[in-house]
């Protein structure tokens, strides 16, 4: 009979990942590496372009740069470890490494949830309160909202990750996932984890369900305002900017809800892995494409930047 024990800093975990499908590991390595490079290049492109072009020094692109930086950090917190595990036979991660990874995954995921709400408020102010937009979205207030997104992520993650690592693991080392995620770690415990599952669902409701409701409320108000517009050009611009953000929010929140808004004991580990693969690999790579394709502001900024470079 196993005795209850907490893991120590000298211990390690084995991330099983996709080892049940060894014939897929090489294919997954190539596909994930491509998506990871697209994520890095696309999001860096948005950050650099928003910084260099003065026409993009607006609240929308300030928050978009923050989102791009978040996506780079979020994917980097788990994807390099996954690529290393897919490439070689070693699939271990130290206890300290697992703690750090879990902390930053929770931090960045929570910060992104809050930031997406902030971005929806920015679009609401731009469409529904255009005469007061400059006052409502003052640069100092925008910086405060961005800082609040990051602070909420760091503080929430500190509480939640500590609750997770207090659970006795009873000597188990096999994590049936490709990174250290809360539901996968809860399955390692041989004690009752209902309290932890309840905390997980409450925190998920606060930082996933409530933000989603706020985003939908903002877009409900935007839709009402759009219906009263007479200008076809204005309609196209609103649908272009707001539609992109709504698509990004949907791609992030829907898979996250599938994982975090139900008890880990009711989740299929294999299904959870592929859902997590979507919101950690695919979604961050699509965000730059969604925001830049058919975006006249970005196309104009690229043309101005290229013209400036050629003029040197």
């Amino acid at each position: 009979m196993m005795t209850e024990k907490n893991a120590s800093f000298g211990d390690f975990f084995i991330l099983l990942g996709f080892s049940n499908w060894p014939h897929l590991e090489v294919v997954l390595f190539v596909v994930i590496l491509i998506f990871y490079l697209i994520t890095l290049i696309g999001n860096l492109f948005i950050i650099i372009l928003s910084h260099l072009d003065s026409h993009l020094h607006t609240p929308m692109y300030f928050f978009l740069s923050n989102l791009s930086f978040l996506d780079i950090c979020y994917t980097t917190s788990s994807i390099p470890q996954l690529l290393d595990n897919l490439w070689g036979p070693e699939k271990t991660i130290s206890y300290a490494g697992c703690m750090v990874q879990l902390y930053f995954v929770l931090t960045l995921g929570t910060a992104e949830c809050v930031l997406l709400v902030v971005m929806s408020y920015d679009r609401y102010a731009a469409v529904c309160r255009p005469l007061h937009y400059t006052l409502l979205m003052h640069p100092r207030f925008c910086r405060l909202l961005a800082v609040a997104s990051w602070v909420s992520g760091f503080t929430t993650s500190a509480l939640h990750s500590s609750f997770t690592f207090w659970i006795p693991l009873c000597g188990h080392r096999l994590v049936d996932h490709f990174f250290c995620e809360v539901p996968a770690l809860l399955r390692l415990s041989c004690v009752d984890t209902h309290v932890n599952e309840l905390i997980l669902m409450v925190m998920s409701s606060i930082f996933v369900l409530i933000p989603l409701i706020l985003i939908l409320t903002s877009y409900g108000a935007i839709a009402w305002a759009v219906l009263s517009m007479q200008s076809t050009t204005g309609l196209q611009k609103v649908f272009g900017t707001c539609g992109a953000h709504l698509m990004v929010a949907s791609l992030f929140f829907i898979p996250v809800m599938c994982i975090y808004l139900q008890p880990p004991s009711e989740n299929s580990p294999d299904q959870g892995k592929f859902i997590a693969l979507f919101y950690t690999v695919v979604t961050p790579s699509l965000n730059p494409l969604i925001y830049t394709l058919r975006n006249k502001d970005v196309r104009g900024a690229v043309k101005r930047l290229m013209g400036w470079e050629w003029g040197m």
Side-chain angles (χ1 to χ4, degrees), residues 9-151:
F9 283 93
D11 291 331
F12 62 90
F13 296 106
I14 298 174
L15 297 172
L16 295 179
F18 301 94
S19 54
N20 290 337
W21 304 279
H23 57 287
L24 286 179
E25 288 192 323
V26 175
V27 176
L28 283 173
F29 177 87
V30 174
V31 172
I32 292 169
L33 178 61
I34 292 172
F35 273 104
Y36 183 51
L37 292 175
I38 292 173
T39 298
L40 295 180
I41 295 169
N43 285 291
L44 279 173
F45 169 77
I46 289 177
I47 294 171
I48 294 171
L49 192 66
S50 299
H51 176 73
L52 293 179
D53 192 275
S54 59
H55 293 82
L56 300 184
H57 291 175
T58 62
M60 174 182 171
Y61 288 98
F62 169 73
F63 293 129
L64 182 56
S65 296
N66 273 269
L67 179 65
S68 294
F69 183 65
L70 265 173
D71 282 338
I72 290 173
C73 296
Y74 188 64
T75 55
T76 303
S77 66
S78 59
I79 299 308
Q81 175 76 49
L82 171 58
L83 291 173
D84 182 59
N85 290 350
L86 289 171
W87 184 255
E90 279 292 323
K91 302 184 186 298
T92 59
I93 183 172
S94 67
Y95 174 76
C98 190
M99 284 185 62
V100 170
Q101 186 180 71
L102 177 68
Y103 177 74
F104 279 104
V105 166
L106 288 174
T107 295
L108 298 164
T110 302
E112 184 153 342
C113 290
V114 178
L115 185 60
L116 288 171
V117 176
V118 171
M119 293 175 74
S120 71
Y121 174 73
D122 171 65
R123 292 299 85 208
Y124 163 79
V127 176
C128 300
R129 305 287 299 278
L131 299 179
H132 301 89
Y133 180 71
T134 304
L135 181 63
L136 289 173
M137 302 307 294
H138 189 274
R140 186 179 298 173
F141 183 58
C142 291
R143 289 193 293 270
L144 182 63
L145 290 175
V147 170
S149 300
W150 285 90
V151 170

Side-chain angles (χ1 to χ4, degrees), residues 113 116-117 120 210-220 245-246 249 253:
C113 290
L116 288 171
V117 176
S120 71
I210 293 178
L212 182 59
I213 292 171
L214 292 174
I215 290 172
L216 294 176
T217 302
S218 296
Y219 280 102
H245 178 259
L246 189 58
F253 279 107

Side-chain angles (χ1 to χ4, degrees), residues 102 105-107 109-110 113 156-157 159-165 167 177 179-187 193-211 255-267 279:
L102 177 68
V105 166
L106 288 174
T107 295
T110 302
C113 290
T156 304
S157 178
L159 293 171
H160 201 55
S161 57
S162 62
F163 288 146
T164 302
F165 278 99
I167 301 172
H177 214 293
F179 70 100
C180 291
E181 191 180 41
V182 176
L185 291 173
L186 290 181
R187 294 191 198 99
T193 60
H194 281 92
V195 173
N196 296 84
E197 292 181 2
L198 180 61
I199 293 172
L200 177 64
M201 294 189 69
V202 170
M203 300 295 282
S204 299
S205 298
I206 294 173
F207 288 101
V208 177
L209 198 57
I210 293 178
V256 167
M257 285 192 300
C258 294
I259 296 294
Y260 286 96
L261 288 182
Q262 58 178 327
S265 55
E266 296 181 11
N267 277 333
Y279 66 75

